[in-house]
């Protein structure tokens, strides 16, 4: 599929990258991996393709290779939050928990607007490791950022029970997450989310979110020409990174 879209601008590494990214959005990991390789065959220094290759290797459970690619991506894009979040997940899989936590704290320190994603990743890492007190603490901090997140709220009582059980069993927490105020230079989450009046409608104003939705819709229906076109517009206009939740 990526080759069909690649014909739009033969030999263009950015187009090949955008198609691979679209396949990644659809969780078609092997095809996305192949697409990133195609982009890198055209431009071996294409940093976002190196990053994407590392992400797809993580999802393909090739963790050592994923770490190599993400290290190289970070060398080219220092403090890229998407790289750091995924490298933390890879490091955890390689049983390097302290290094994984260091990456997540680095996101909180250098990219405060991405801190909620770092705490969400902590939740998943601690849950996977059955570290219930740490899971609960990370969840509580995350909810300071997203107090209306219903799926996390629904799961909160279970996490509280698990933490109580482990405490009764005498488990001592080893990696309690630091709140943002204790992470150097991190911005504390707002206590209350302000209610802002809706702006008056403007004529045909297109936001970055609109463009991303158009891109994702085009990819889902297999219209890779539109996928590449809107992907280029999204990156040019928004500079927003791919979604680390994938």
């Amino acid at each position: 599929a990526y080759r069909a879209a690649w014909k739009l601008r033969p030999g263009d590494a950015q187009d090949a990258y955008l198609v691979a990214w679209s396949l990644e959005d659809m969780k078609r990991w092997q095809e996305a991996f192949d697409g990133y390789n195609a982009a890198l065959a055209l431009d071996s220094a294409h940093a976002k393709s190196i990053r994407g290759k590392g992400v797809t290797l993580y999802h393909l459970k090739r963790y050592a290779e994923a770490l190599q690619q993400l290290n190289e991506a970070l060398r080219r894009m220092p403090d890229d939050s998407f790289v750091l979040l995924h490298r933390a997940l890879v490091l955890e899989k390689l049983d390097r928990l302290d290094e994984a936590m260091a990456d997540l704290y680095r996101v909180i320190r250098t990219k405060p607007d991405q801190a909620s994603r770092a705490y969400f990743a902590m939740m998943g890492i601690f849950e996977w490791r059955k570290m219930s007190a740490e899971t609960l603490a990370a969840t509580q901090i995350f909810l300071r950022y997203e107090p209306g997140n219903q799926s996390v709220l629904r799961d909160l009582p279970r996490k509280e029970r698990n933490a109580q059980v482990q405490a009764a069993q005498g488990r001592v927490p080893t990696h309690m997450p630091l709140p943002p105020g204790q992470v150097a230079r991190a911005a504390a989450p707002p206590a209350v989310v302000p209610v802002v009046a809706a702006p008056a409608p403007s004529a045909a104003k297109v936001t970055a979110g609109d463009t991303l939705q158009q891109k994702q819709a085009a990819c889902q229906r297999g219209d890779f020409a539109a996928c590449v076109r809107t992907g280029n517009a999204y990156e040019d206009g928004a500079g927003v990174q791919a979604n680390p939740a994938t």
Side-chain angles (χ1 to χ4, degrees), residues 47-220:
K48 291 182 179 180
S49 292
I50 296 170
R51 179 183 68 186
K53 185 175 178 179
V55 171
T56 54
L57 283 166
Y58 164 74
H59 287 289
L60 292 169
K61 304 185 189 306
R62 294 162 58 178
Y63 302 124
E65 295 170 83
L67 182 58
Q68 277 187 323
Q69 294 297 315
L70 293 171
N71 284 343
E72 178 60 19
L74 197 63
R75 187 180 72 81
R76 296 171 183 275
M77 299 186 291
D79 292 325
D80 182 284
S81 61
F82 191 55
V83 176
L84 287 166
L85 289 166
H86 276 86
R87 191 172 73 167
L89 298 177
V90 169
L91 287 166
E92 188 278 328
K93 294 297 185 186
L94 295 172
D95 205 26
R96 294 162 62 175
L97 180 58
D98 288 342
E99 292 171 82
M101 293 295 291
D103 273 358
L104 295 177
Y105 285 131
R106 185 170 164 184
V107 172
I108 295 165
R109 184 178 67 252
T110 62
K111 304 286 185 180
D113 60 323
Q114 298 293 312
S116 65
R117 291 185 173 185
Y119 284 113
F120 190 85
M122 283 186 204
M123 286 165 46
I125 286 173
F126 291 142
E127 182 93 66
W128 176 258
R129 287 176 165 258
K130 302 188 186 307
M131 300 165 70
S132 296
E134 291 91 336
T135 302
L136 178 60
T139 302
Q140 290 168 335
I141 296 172
F142 171 80
L143 286 170
R144 292 169 61 189
Y145 289 91
E146 297 190 24
N149 190 305
Q150 293 303 307
S151 63
V152 174
L153 286 169
R154 283 194 297 271
D155 204 30
L156 185 59
R158 179 188 65 81
K159 293 176 179 177
E160 291 172 337
R161 289 192 299 271
N162 289 346
Q164 290 169 358
V165 168
Q166 285 196 352
Q169 293 171 344
R171 178 185 176 269
V172 177
T174 58
H175 287 77
M176 289 298 283
L178 296 174
Q182 293 182 28
V183 179
R185 298 188 301 279
V192 178
V193 177
V195 177
V196 180
S202 58
K205 181 180 179 181
V206 179
T207 67
D210 294 333
T211 308
L212 180 58
Q213 288 180 353
Q214 291 169 7
K215 168 190 169 293
Q216 291 172 334
C219 298
Q220 290 289 347

